[in-house]
Amino acid sequence: MPTTAPAFRDVTASDSTLRRFLHGLPGVDAVGLESRAAALGTRSIKTTAKAYAIDLAISMVDLTTLEGADTPGKVRALGAKAVRPDPTDRTTPATAAVCVYPDMVATAKEAVVGSAVKVASVATAFPAGRAALDVKLADVRDAVAAGADEIDMVIDRGAFLAGHYMKVYDEITAVKEVSGDARLKVIFETGELSTYDNIRRASWLGMLAGADFIKTSTGKVAVNATPANTLLMLEAVRDFRAQTGIQIGVKPAGGIRTTKDAVKFLVLVNETAGEDWLDNHWFRFGASSLLNDLLMQRQKLATGRYSGPDYVTVD
């Protein structure tokens, strides 16, 4: 199946050429990577810039509920919150998307109808990815048929860690094909990939296979999005566009809970990939609790004080 990056078609011609390319990528200087991520995280921004950053971050949130206890009522409430995060202030931007399991896609679509909010759905046996390919593809087809605008798939980490890169590549391209017009986010579960070199390889593998976004995590393991692993992925999409002309989005997910965290990630985006990625078409936060803190900080900037604990709805 052809890659979306013609310049690299020879790379994906066989398992051996793909392996040679991925293992030929420059090794990651872990100390340098973490030092740069930490340094960028100390940047301070002024009040006017902070107000802009908060609104930008709100517009980048994929408001997420991925629990076994999800109900139609909970998903409808989440959809309403995504469309109008602060019912008392109509200047508050909507979030980018609501992210749910495939069986909740139709309910989510009804909840955001008439708005620009997208419906994203996790698929491919999320979060473990342990299923046969035909089962994974059926999962995706169900989500797309129900109206999903975006598909968040998980890679087979076992296959990747065993060095079966072409298997992972073929699964991503197959999912991309059945996703149709839905944008595809490829989740690596960076906390399970063990090394930064593996995260770099996974990033390039996902992009070569046609990912529209590369995403850090499911939010279901101990280590999720970090400034360092997100910085590494931002470098990958920057370098990929420089070589192919194709722009790929980045989505850190899991563990980003405060406005301070979100601003740090936006600084990473601006300083690493550049302003072209400072848009919710190219950068997202996978989060559930982050939105509440952004709303409280937004109100603090506007009024000089925090409201009571009932100012925002509890997810």
Side-chain angles (χ1 to χ4, degrees):
M1 198 171 294
T3 175
T4 56
F8 288 97
R9 198 153 286 157
D10 290 345
V11 166
T12 59
S14 69
D15 195 50
S16 60
T17 57
L18 182 56
R19 176 187 302 276
R20 191 177 309 121
F21 173 80
L22 294 176
H23 283 265
L25 292 169
V28 179
D29 174 1
V31 173
L33 178 74
E34 291 173 357
S35 296
R36 176 164 171 73
L40 289 173
T42 64
R43 297 276 179 91
S44 60
I45 59 176
K46 297 179 180 178
T47 302
T48 51
K50 186 174 182 181
Y52 166 77
I54 288 173
D55 277 7
L56 182 60
I58 291 171
S59 77
M60 291 173 164
V61 169
D62 279 2
L63 195 57
T64 303
T65 184
L66 298 170
E67 303 299 333
D70 287 343
T71 64
K74 181 179 181 181
V75 171
R76 281 192 288 269
L78 204 69
K81 185 172 181 178
V83 173
R84 189 166 293 169
D86 184 351
T88 70
D89 185 351
R90 290 177 176 270
T91 67
T92 308
T95 70
V98 172
C99 186
V100 295
Y101 277 113
D103 64 316
M104 288 292 175
V105 168
T107 301
K109 288 290 284 189
E110 291 173 3
V112 302
V113 68
S115 76
V117 176
K118 306 296 186 185
V119 172
S121 180
V122 296
T124 63
F126 178 95
R130 310 300 301 192
L133 180 58
D134 59 345
V135 174
K136 294 180 180 182
L137 297 181
D139 203 22
V140 175
R141 289 189 186 98
D142 284 348
V144 171
D149 302 295
E150 300 170 355
I151 296 295
D152 289 33
M153 73 166 286
V154 288
I155 66 165
D156 182 338
R157 279 89 74 192
F160 179 88
L161 291 169
H164 301 314
Y165 301 129
M166 189 56 82
K167 180 178 188 235
V168 179
Y169 174 86
D170 287 342
E171 284 200 352
I172 297 171
T173 57
V175 171
K176 175 71 173 175
E177 183 176 26
V178 300
S179 294
D181 293 333
R183 296 181 80 201
L184 178 62
K185 306 191 197 93
V186 177
I187 309 169
F188 303 137
E189 199 69 288
T190 50
E192 293 185 347
L193 295 188
S194 303
T195 69
Y196 289 129
D197 285 340
N198 275 340
I199 295 172
R200 174 169 283 169
R201 290 170 189 147
S203 297
W204 277 86
L205 179 57
M207 294 186 296
L208 289 170
D212 296 300
F213 264 78
I214 53 175
K215 177 178 171 181
T216 61
S217 325
T218 64
K220 302 294 187 182
V221 298
V223 178
N224 293 289
T226 68
N229 61 35
T230 304
L231 172 57
L232 184 55
M233 290 165 64
L234 286 164
E235 290 175 348
V237 298
R238 176 200 64 198
D239 295 347
F240 188 78
R241 189 179 73 167
Q243 295 187 49
T244 67
I246 299 169
Q247 187 163 339
I248 308 294
V250 175
K251 179 179 173 180
I256 305 170
R257 297 184 176 89
T258 69
T259 298
K260 186 176 180 180
D261 290 337
V263 170
K264 286 181 180 180
F265 278 86
L266 291 179
V267 171
L268 285 179
V269 175
N270 188 59
E271 296 296 321
T272 307
E275 290 185 8
D276 286 352
W277 272 266
L278 286 174
D279 181 284
N280 68 11
H281 195 72
W282 300 113
F283 192 78
R284 300 281 182 84
F285 292 106
S288 53
S289 60
L290 172 63
L291 181 58
N292 287 344
D293 192 70
L294 288 167
L295 293 174
M296 287 191 290
Q297 296 299 330
R298 188 180 194 274
Q299 201 224 18
K300 172 71 159 49
L301 278 182
T303 66
R305 61 184 177 81
Y306 292 108
S307 281
D310 59 348
Y311 176 66
V312 294
T313 57
V314 178
D315 298 329

